[in-house]
Structure formats: C-alpha cells, structure tokens
Amino acid sequence: MPLHLERIEWMPSPPLAPGDGPIDFEHLQRMTLGDAAIEQEVLTMFLAQSASLVHALATIPADSSALAHTLKGSARAIGAFAVADAADRLEAAIARGFDASAALAELGEAVAQARAAIVAVLRRS
C-alpha cells in the first residue's frame, strides 16, 4: 500500500518557558493569528473579565473554584501565564479545603501586573 503524504501548515506551540513579562505577546500573536484588532479586543475583554473575577473572588464565594478556573483559561489564552498559574494554585487550594488567602493575594498581584502591561500596550495602539 503506497504511503500518502499531505502538507499541513505548521502552527507553533506555546512556549515551554513563557517570556519575562506578565503577558507573552508572542503567544498572544499566535493565538490571534497576528490580527492586531483581535489582539486589542481580547486584551480589552481580559481587562474587564479579570477585574470582575478578582472582585468576585475576594470573599471566596461558593463558586470560587469555577471562577478561578475561568480566569485560568482566559489568562492562558492571552499568554498571561503567571495569572493562569496563580489561578491554578487558588483553584487547588479551594479544592483541598486549604486557607486560600495567600493564593488569592498572589492571584491579585499577578492580575494587577498583567492588567498594567495590557493598559500600557492598549495606550500605545
């Protein structure tokens, strides 16, 4: 039986080690296929969503694990890997019944750094 080979466009994977900043803009560019308008749109959406979720998480409501999980996914999508990692730690602390205050504080700081980087980028555009 002959072997049939087909050419497939290559799409780079996210980095194994994210960049130094709070947002990996190369990852964001890959996720938005280099469309600057889409980049601006998703960054603007993340600004609003992250503020809302951090505010909602402040009192560790019953749905905290789901809120942290939502933030984790959104952060990964835009390349805010420190936020995603902090949200993952918060989600794990909640699931295990541990005191989540340190994880929540870490998440708040990571979100603040990511938001500051996003605001700076959006002002330049």
Side-chain angles (χ1 to χ4, degrees):
M1 174 178 234
L3 183 63
H4 176 72
L5 299 176
E6 189 175 325
R7 184 169 191 79
I8 299 174
E9 287 296 318
W10 178 75
M11 178 179 237
S13 299
L16 295 176
D20 292 338
I23 305 291
D24 183 336
F25 288 100
E26 288 180 10
H27 173 78
L28 176 63
Q29 187 175 35
R30 284 191 304 273
M31 295 300 288
T32 59
L33 302 175
D35 187 320
I38 294 174
E39 286 179 25
Q40 288 182 349
E41 184 177 345
V42 297
L43 289 174
T44 300
M45 289 182 350
F46 185 80
L47 279 176
Q49 182 190 44
S50 62
S52 173
L53 289 173
V54 167
H55 179 73
L57 284 163
T59 60
I60 311 290
D63 62 345
S64 293
S65 185
L67 296 173
H69 187 79
T70 297
L71 184 54
K72 177 175 63 175
S74 297
R76 283 184 179 153
I78 67 158
F81 296 115
V83 172
D85 292 345
D88 187 51
R89 285 188 284 279
L90 176 60
E91 186 180 10
I94 293 166
R96 291 184 175 99
F98 296 161
D99 178 14
S101 58
L104 182 58
E106 178 190 6
L107 178 61
E109 180 60 30
V111 168
Q113 290 177 8
R115 289 173 50 81
I118 291 168
V119 167
V121 166
L122 292 176
R123 283 188 181 147
R124 287 193 306 254
S125 337

